[in-house]
Amino acid sequence: MVVSADPPAPVLTYAEAVSRLRFAQKPKAQTPAYLRFVNRRLGGYLAAASFVRGWTPNRLTAISAALSLVGVIAVMLVEPSWWLGILVSVALLAGFAFDSADGQLARLRGGGSPVGEWLDHVVDAVKSCLLHSAVAISAYRFVPDLSGWVLLLPLVFLTAYVALAFGSMLRDQLLRAQAGGRPAETGDSLVRGLLLLPVDYGTLGLAFLLLGAPRVFLVVYGILALLNVLFDLRLLVRTFRQLSAV
């Protein structure tokens, strides 16, 4: 009996891979501006280069985790300075770019796997927990005469992230199941993307550029935490109404 082998993966140049990715992007609706215009583009370049080299999406996920961990450890262990802020911001944003690249590489290779998607979400959750914990540790260690309530900001920010991430993912799953598996596209809007910048991980990564002025950084960090809470409240109310109407 002759067993047919799987067809070989297509051989693409870097330019061909970049071109193909233009037609294999996630929906633009409800996408923050940095993620849409900067991070996905950087991720596409990384995905195309990785495809040509024969790398796997899980390798890119591991690189993303490693870069993010470098930034987190630096925040926890090193006294804040301007050079540290640049290092941390670059590490976090590079990790974010690789986080976008793994999914795009999976689409270039013909589709992702359940274990790859699971690993990606696990890394995202651990990364965010560690990053906000690192901010609390840094503030406690290196900012003198700091009011105790300021140390609650990372807890507030982390709670807002968990509610936003899991609330929106579960909402999308429930609405998709109700719609027979079709994604719920709500329309493309540049204004909406700009309004969503406070909940964009890229905005948080850029905020670490202010780490050389710790108190200024904490003010900006606190504003982002407050805005994330407000977005959460809006999401929860809107989602409750959406699911109640199903």
Side-chain angles (χ1 to χ4, degrees):
M1 181 178 66
V2 177
V3 179
S4 60
D6 293 333
V11 178
L12 302 176
T13 66
Y14 173 79
E16 291 170 338
V18 170
S19 178
R20 179 172 294 192
L21 276 173
R22 295 174 185 169
F23 306 99
Q25 294 295 327
K26 290 182 178 179
K28 299 175 182 178
Q30 303 291 343
T31 304
Y34 180 92
L35 172 60
R36 174 179 171 182
F37 294 109
V38 179
N39 202 61
R40 283 184 177 174
R41 182 168 298 181
L42 292 176
Y45 297 147
L46 293 171
S50 301
F51 181 85
V52 172
R53 295 179 65 88
W55 288 6
T56 64
N58 286 350
R59 174 179 288 192
L60 299 191
T61 302
I63 294 173
S64 172
L67 287 168
S68 301
L69 187 60
V70 168
V72 167
I73 292 175
V75 172
M76 286 192 295
L77 300 184
V78 183
E79 185 172 358
S81 64
W82 291 110
W83 72 264
L84 177 67
I86 295 173
L87 170 66
V88 171
S89 184
V90 169
L92 295 179
L93 294 178
F96 192 30
F98 274 97
D99 182 39
S100 176
D102 58 8
Q104 296 191 60
L105 176 59
R107 290 191 288 278
L108 266 180
R109 291 163 57 94
S113 65
V115 68
E117 184 174 358
W118 171 82
L119 181 62
D120 185 46
H121 287 304
V122 169
V123 169
D124 284 345
V126 173
K127 172 182 66 179
S128 294
C129 290
L130 290 178
L131 180 58
H132 293 294
S133 299
V135 171
I137 294 171
S138 177
Y140 178 78
R141 293 185 62 196
F142 301 119
V143 184
D145 303 322
L146 191 67
S147 299
W149 66 267
V150 177
L151 296 177
L152 295 177
L153 286 176
L155 177 61
V156 172
F157 209 148
L158 178 57
T159 303
Y161 162 77
V162 171
L164 185 65
F166 289 95
S168 58
M169 281 193 295
L170 182 57
R171 175 203 61 193
D172 292 345
Q173 288 181 0
L174 292 172
L175 292 177
R176 191 180 302 116
Q178 190 67 25
R182 297 187 303 274
E185 180 76 27
T186 58
D188 179 21
S189 170
L190 175 59
V191 174
R192 184 183 292 114
L194 294 173
L195 291 175
L196 289 172
L197 275 173
V199 299
D200 195 324
Y201 184 83
T203 303
L204 177 59
L206 289 171
F208 279 88
L209 290 172
L210 300 172
L211 207 56
R215 294 181 186 275
V216 175
F217 166 76
L218 288 173
V219 170
V220 173
Y221 181 87
I223 292 173
L224 290 177
L226 175 61
L227 291 174
N228 273 257
V229 170
L230 295 177
F231 273 100
D232 272 356
L233 294 176
R234 178 180 179 274
L235 170 73
L236 293 174
V237 171
R238 184 181 178 184
T239 299
F240 184 84
R241 291 174 177 172
Q242 282 181 303
L243 295 179
S244 296
V246 171

